[in-house]
Amino acid sequence: MVANSPGTVTGLKAATLYQITIRSIGAAGRSQASPPKHAKTVLAAPVLEVHSPSPDSILVHWEAVYTAVGFSVSIMRANGLGRIWKENTTNTTLTFTSLDSGTLYTIKAYAWNANGTPGDDSTCNQRTSPRAPANIRVSFDSGALEASVSWAPTEGAFNYTVMAVSDASELSCSTTFSFCTIASLQCGTEYLISVSARNEAGYSRSTPAVTLRTVACAPGRVTIQEDPPGHLSVSWPNVDLSDYYVAFVKSDDGLEVHCNTSLTQCNFFSECGFTYFISVFAYNKAGQSPLGDVFNYTTAPCCPSDVNPVLVSSDRVEIVWSPVRGAELYETKAVDGLNTVECNDTAPACTLSALECDTKYNITVYSFSEVRGSNTSCTSQLITTAPCSPEIKNISKDAFSTLNVHWRSSNDDATYTVTARGEKGLYRCRSTGESCSLGDLPCGSVFSVTAVAKTQAGRSLPSYSVPLETVPCCPASLTVTQVTQSVVNMSWTVGTGAETYITVLDSPTRQSKCHTHQNHCLLGCITCGVNYTVVLKAISATGLTADCAYQSYSSSACCPLGVKLYRLGPNGIRIYWQATRGSANYSTDLYGSKGIFTCAPSAGLSFCDITEIPCGDVYTVMVSPVTETGLKLTFCPKKIYSVTCSGSTLGMVIYRGKRNAEENGAVRHG
């Protein structure tokens, strides 16, 4: 229904004959239909499908149209500029070529029937695809492993895609600009770089590929060897795309060296006790490879060079040395060929104990680190322990009173020193054998005797001490005093070291003996007028005896017998006696209240005359033997006589008896 004329009927089928009538409709109702008229609808418009198969062409395709015998297709720039291309065809496909790339075109098409009547047309827009970008430039960042790609902008391109293709991977980046960065490239890889442009029509052809070689990869399996010590060999496998290599070796003290080579090995000098950090880079025209694994190699710790024995004894060696670089522990070994003694310590010192005396040891100090282990190239030092302690077997005394000390020992080339230590000092003797003689030891002394061995390696410990006691000292002086005719008193000075004494008076016919702890002794049974040999033995508490010889002793002459007084003239007296044994000199003494009267007989006589003596007195008469030294012995018996007066002269001489001597001792005969 329409309100006004003309009216349009829609929803009809194309190319169909229709009968058309018109009615008016009012309030009163409908009018009758007008006379019919016939009309036929035109052909339907083709339904277009268009796309741009290439930057300079557009392909138009449509389905066949009912009753159509031909089609008319035209194309022009959408902006109205330029010419219009029109093509008639009976096909359902048509391609326009020689178009501008990346340009938006308007396509119009309609069909016509056998009468040449055109049908409805259809219109659509289609842009040609872009051309491939030109002037491709690729720059490579070796540090970031990125490629920056740039190109000249392409007409009609909305965005661009850059492809980096290798044998193992494919990377891309998209952008609306004329440059793009491809990241995460792999080292040691050859990429083909291409760029394509894109719009709603599709992609352009890719540009001719540009070859990009990335930096070579760092060698992955680096082998480090130190042979011989001090020479470090670094080797690695060849890597793709490398032109040459640079190996860097940096020690832990900061010093770094390097070498350039087109080979796969470098040699460096190394020092003990260092940790070296080793990295190898590969180079090509693209630059340096990325940093690979950093390898570290620790050389063996240095060997101590100043091993110094500070103490060497018979069973122990103390050694010290300066700390060395790289050592975490020191292992000290002493080897004597069969046995090994060792000690481990972190300190630069060691005491090797339980060693054999007088033995040669190869002593080596090995430095040790946890990473490298022991440095087995350390040199040995030959150290001989101090000699073994000798063992004193015995001490003997020879005929000359020299003490000979004998010992047992197994040392080689040792000198032995024997020391006798006592209150009176030290006495020594030396020998390279197994005995030596101690002379001039003081008597009456106690010593402790030890022996020590000495070699170039040192001194042994002293032997176990052996006590030594010398014989007591003989008394410096001895005195024999005649006490009575048959008794003498022997006295002497004290002999050092003597506890008791034995005194002996010995004659061919008799011996008199006394054992005492005092320094005097009475000996009886002495025969008068006999020569005696005087012997004294000084004996120590342990029984050591010193035989002391002194000058012989002659006992006194015997006391005379038959002492008598005779009157001799008016005022004189003759004393007469009888000698008992041998010849002797005598002295006579008369002791009275009026004085002492003495006379000495001539040699060989047995009487003596006193020419003047008072009468009327009682006299004690004593005849005493006189020694060769003039000593008068007063132990002989005394006789008592009375001498009376006859007028002024002597009267009777009367014997009154006898008495013992009142005093003992010696009176000098004057």
Side-chain angles (χ1 to χ4, degrees):
M1 294 180 67
V2 295
N4 297 306
S5 177
T8 301
V9 180
T10 60
L12 303 180
K13 292 184 179 181
T16 302
L17 181 64
Y18 287 92
Q19 178 179 297
I20 301 171
T21 61
I22 301 173
R23 292 175 188 271
S24 61
I25 301 172
R30 291 185 174 186
S31 70
Q32 289 188 358
S34 67
K37 278 218 167 247
H38 291 86
K40 190 176 183 180
T41 56
V42 297
L43 297 178
V47 179
L48 300 180
E49 294 180 5
V50 295
H51 72 278
S52 177
S54 66
D56 62 348
S57 67
I58 292 177
L59 172 65
V60 184
H61 173 74
W62 59 91
E63 294 294 330
V65 177
Y66 178 66
T67 71
V69 295
F71 302 91
S72 178
V73 182
S74 63
I75 187 171
M76 65 175 296
R77 285 176 177 266
N79 58 11
L81 300 177
R83 55 173 290 199
I84 298 175
W85 288 271
K86 186 175 181 180
E87 296 286 344
N88 293 324
T89 182
T90 59
N91 298 322
T92 58
T93 300
L94 181 65
T95 300
F96 291 97
T97 60
S98 300
L99 304 178
D100 294 329
S101 62
T103 302
L104 183 63
Y105 285 88
T106 299
I107 299 99
K108 186 176 182 179
Y110 61 90
W112 71 84
N113 58 19
N115 298 323
T117 304
D120 283 343
D121 60 17
S122 61
T123 303
C124 67
N125 290 330
Q126 175 64 47
R127 189 182 297 274
T128 53
S129 61
R131 291 188 182 278
N135 298 327
I136 306 300
R137 291 183 175 86
V138 179
S139 63
F140 178 69
D141 185 342
S142 61
L145 285 178
E146 295 178 345
S148 294
V149 185
S150 63
W151 55 88
T154 299
E155 180 69 29
F158 294 167
N159 56 27
Y160 302 91
T161 299
V162 180
M163 299 294 295
V165 179
S166 70
D167 292 338
S169 65
E170 184 177 289
L171 300 174
S172 66
C173 69
S174 296
T175 180
T176 59
F177 303 103
S178 59
F179 57 88
C180 188
T181 299
I182 297 180
S184 303
L185 298 177
Q186 298 297 313
C187 60
T189 304
E190 185 176 280
Y191 288 93
L192 296 177
I193 307 293
S194 62
V195 182
S196 62
R198 180 179 179 276
N199 57 21
E200 68 266 31
Y203 287 94
S204 70
R205 291 189 182 91
S206 296
T207 60
V210 176
T211 299
L212 170 65
R213 287 186 172 187
T214 62
V215 293
C217 294
R221 297 189 307 276
V222 175
T223 302
I224 304 166
Q225 292 180 326
E226 187 184 15
D227 187 20
H231 295 80
L232 210 61
S233 173
V234 181
S235 60
W236 56 88
N238 202 7
V239 295
D240 294 336
L241 305 185
S242 63
D243 294 334
Y244 66 96
Y245 303 91
V246 178
F248 293 88
V249 175
K250 186 175 183 179
S251 59
D252 52 12
D253 65 351
L255 182 64
E256 184 177 71
V257 294
H258 69 276
C259 85
N260 294 354
T261 180
S262 58
L263 305 177
T264 57
Q265 180 175 340
C266 274
N267 295 312
F268 299 90
F269 289 110
S270 61
E271 295 184 46
C272 57
F274 276 110
T275 296
Y276 292 94
F277 300 94
I278 299 164
S279 54
V280 180
F281 293 90
Y283 288 82
N284 59 19
K285 293 180 180 179
Q288 173 185 291
S289 68
L291 175 64
D293 293 332
V294 177
F295 299 87
N296 63 70
Y297 183 87
T298 300
T299 55
C302 299
C303 291
S305 60
D306 57 348
V307 177
N308 181 33
V310 295
L311 181 137
V312 177
S313 68
S314 299
D315 63 348
R316 187 162 50 97
V317 173
E318 293 181 16
I319 53 178
V320 296
W321 57 88
S322 299
V324 295
R325 189 173 55 243
E328 299 170 0
L329 182 74
Y330 299 97
E331 182 181 45
T332 305
K333 288 186 178 181
V335 180
D336 66 354
L338 297 176
N339 303 308
T340 299
V341 178
E342 62 181 75
C343 72
N344 299 331
D345 205 328
T346 57
C350 179
T351 299
L352 294 163
S353 55
L355 303 179
E356 297 294 332
C357 55
D358 195 46
T359 302
K360 292 180 173 61
Y361 285 91
N362 279 316
I363 295 181
T364 310
V365 179
Y366 300 98
S367 51
F368 177 88
S369 69
E370 186 175 354
V371 174
R372 190 54 54 197
S374 291
N375 187 340
T376 57
S377 64
C378 300
T379 58
S380 300
Q381 182 176 354
L382 185 64
I383 295 178
T384 303
T385 52
C388 304
S389 297
E391 177 189 357
I392 296 178
K393 295 189 294 185
N394 61 70
I395 301 175
S396 63
K397 184 177 180 181
D398 62 16
F400 301 99
S401 299
T402 298
L403 294 174
N404 297 312
V405 183
H406 303 266
W407 58 85
R408 180 187 296 111
S409 184
S410 59
N411 298 313
D412 294 331
D413 299 326
T415 300
Y416 299 89
T417 300
V418 176
T419 301
R421 185 185 305 271
E423 293 181 355
K424 295 185 178 181
L426 299 176
Y427 296 83
R428 291 188 175 92
C429 65
R430 290 180 175 83
S431 172
T432 57
E434 292 189 337
S435 67
C436 70
S437 300
L438 288 170
D440 300 326
L441 294 180
C443 58
S445 300
V446 176
F447 294 92
S448 174
V449 180
T450 57
V452 174
K454 183 178 181 181
T455 63
Q456 290 183 348
R459 294 169 61 89
S460 72
L461 293 173
S463 66
Y464 294 119
S465 64
V466 175
L468 171 64
E469 180 184 1
T470 57
V471 296
C473 295
C474 290
S477 63
L478 180 143
T479 302
V480 182
T481 304
Q482 194 90 27
V483 179
T484 67
Q485 182 173 289
S486 63
V487 176
V488 295
N489 180 47
M490 293 182 67
S491 61
W492 53 88
T493 57
V494 175
T496 302
E499 287 288 326
T500 61
Y501 303 90
I502 295 178
T503 57
V504 179
L505 288 179
D506 197 8
S507 72
T509 60
R510 179 171 293 182
Q511 184 185 75
S512 183
K513 188 175 183 180
C514 172
H515 192 178
T516 181
H517 65 276
Q518 298 175 331
N519 64 333
H520 57 85
C521 187
L522 289 175
L523 283 80
C525 302
I526 301 300
T527 302
C528 55
V530 175
N531 275 337
Y532 284 91
T533 300
V534 180
V535 176
L536 184 142
K537 295 179 182 291
I539 305 172
S540 70
T542 59
L544 288 179
T545 301
D547 293 323
C548 307
Y550 296 92
Q551 187 175 3
S552 62
Y553 171 73
S554 296
S555 61
S556 64
C558 298
C559 290
L561 300 176
V563 176
K564 297 179 180 179
L565 261 64
Y566 296 97
R567 181 172 173 271
L568 182 65
N571 297 314
I573 290 293
R574 172 170 286 185
I575 302 109
Y576 175 81
W577 62 88
Q578 180 181 352
T580 57
R581 182 184 295 116
S583 61
N585 294 323
Y586 295 92
S587 173
T588 60
D589 295 284
L590 278 68
Y591 300 92
S593 61
K594 298 178 181 179
I596 299 174
F597 302 91
T598 301
C599 72
S602 300
L605 298 179
S606 56
F607 63 90
C608 180
D609 296 335
I610 299 175
T611 58
E612 294 291 336
I613 188 172
C615 62
D617 201 353
V618 177
Y619 290 95
T620 298
V621 180
M622 184 174 64
V623 179
S624 302
V626 178
T627 66
E628 293 179 355
T629 61
L631 186 66
K632 183 166 60 176
L633 303 178
T634 60
F635 51 74
C636 292
K638 300 177 179 62
K639 290 188 176 183
I640 301 173
Y641 286 88
S642 296
V643 180
T644 64
C645 291
S646 177
S648 59
T649 60
L650 295 177
M652 302 245 342
V653 177
I654 303 169
Y655 174 65
R656 301 288 296 271
K658 63 180 181 179
R659 53 186 287 185
N660 291 329
E662 294 179 352
E663 55 182 348
N664 293 327
V667 178
R668 176 71 59 183
H669 179 69

